[in-house]
Amino acid sequence: MIVAMARVAKLVQMRAIPVVAAAASNLFREQLEEVIRRVTGQRSAPSRGIKVEIMLPQHEELWMRAIRDVFEESNIDVTTRMIPPVQSVMDQGYSKVGILLGHKPTGRINPALVRRARGIAQKITGINRTTRESFARIIRASIADGSTVTETAAELRGKLPRINSSRAMTIARTEMNNAWTQGAAQSFKES
């Protein structure tokens, strides 16, 4: 029975991990572009045409304010994007383990699982703390090198996606495993 539970857990999680990783990657990309847009006024990567750039020797505060504003505004969005896949995996952990333990599925949504799913989704907003630190590290290094605002934006676009793609997969694996475990644990409690 334990081997069957482990196999089912892997199957369920393997289906959900790409969904959560893609959502996290999209979120990282959107946050990056919004921060850059707020500082530079650009909608996307600069065009190859004529450029005029205003030199701001101390533009770190502009970046930090944009980062703070974007991440504060996106916490609710992160939670609402992550609740459905987290709740799905948690519900499957609860129901599939319950079936293996001999429970009959009721079809009702367990309120305790809904609260826990929301908690995991809100915990995923903690990724913003690490992302902020990555932004700040790259910005400070770029400013220390004497880069302009546009050059700093290009530096962010060049470095952050690589950093965040591996983080998105790690976050997805960790939180889907956590969701399954909490759902399965609730089923064991009720058994």
Side-chain angles (χ1 to χ4, degrees):
M1 183 167 73
I2 291 173
V3 171
M5 283 184 204
R7 285 183 181 156
V8 171
K10 279 185 180 181
L11 288 171
V12 169
Q13 291 174 47
M14 292 307 281
R15 281 190 222 126
I17 287 170
V19 172
V20 173
S25 287
N26 289 338
L27 178 72
F28 291 144
R29 189 183 68 255
E30 289 167 13
Q31 289 172 331
L32 169 65
E33 291 303 323
E34 181 60 18
V35 167
I36 290 171
R37 187 197 63 76
R38 287 187 185 200
V39 174
T40 65
Q42 296 175 349
R43 284 279 174 211
S44 61
S47 65
R48 301 267 184 240
I50 298 172
K51 303 189 260 190
V52 175
E53 184 163 0
I54 299 171
M55 298 298 289
L56 297 172
Q58 298 298 325
H59 53 92
E60 182 177 351
E61 181 55 34
L62 289 171
W63 287 105
M64 295 308 149
R65 187 175 319 132
I67 291 168
R68 183 185 65 241
D69 293 346
V70 167
F71 284 85
E72 285 175 3
E73 293 168 9
S74 68
N75 279 344
I76 293 170
D77 189 37
V78 173
T79 303
T80 56
R81 286 186 193 192
M82 296 299 170
I83 284 177
V86 168
Q87 189 167 351
S88 173
V89 170
M90 192 176 287
D91 288 344
Q92 289 182 65
Y94 175 76
S95 66
K96 291 181 186 321
V97 168
I99 290 168
L100 290 169
L101 293 173
H103 291 242
K104 291 194 166 109
T106 61
R108 291 188 327 246
I109 296 175
N110 187 321
L113 293 180
V114 172
R115 281 190 302 278
R116 287 183 187 152
R118 191 175 303 117
I120 289 173
Q122 288 171 341
K123 184 177 150 190
I124 292 174
T125 62
I127 64 177
N128 282 342
R129 193 171 32 257
T130 306
T131 304
R132 279 184 192 198
E133 292 166 7
S134 297
F135 265 97
R137 188 173 49 253
I138 293 168
I139 289 166
R140 286 188 182 108
S142 183
I143 291 171
D145 290 342
S147 299
T148 65
V149 171
T150 304
E151 291 167 341
T152 302
E155 191 82 14
L156 286 168
R157 282 189 179 113
K159 291 182 178 177
L160 274 177
R162 283 179 289 174
I163 294 168
N164 289 335
S165 65
S166 63
R167 284 186 57 234
M169 191 56 90
T170 301
I171 290 163
R173 280 192 304 264
T174 302
E175 297 310 330
M176 291 306 93
N177 188 1
N178 190 14
W180 174 272
T181 302
Q182 287 192 31
Q186 183 66 32
S187 192
F188 274 109
K189 285 178 189 177
E190 293 176 12
S191 173

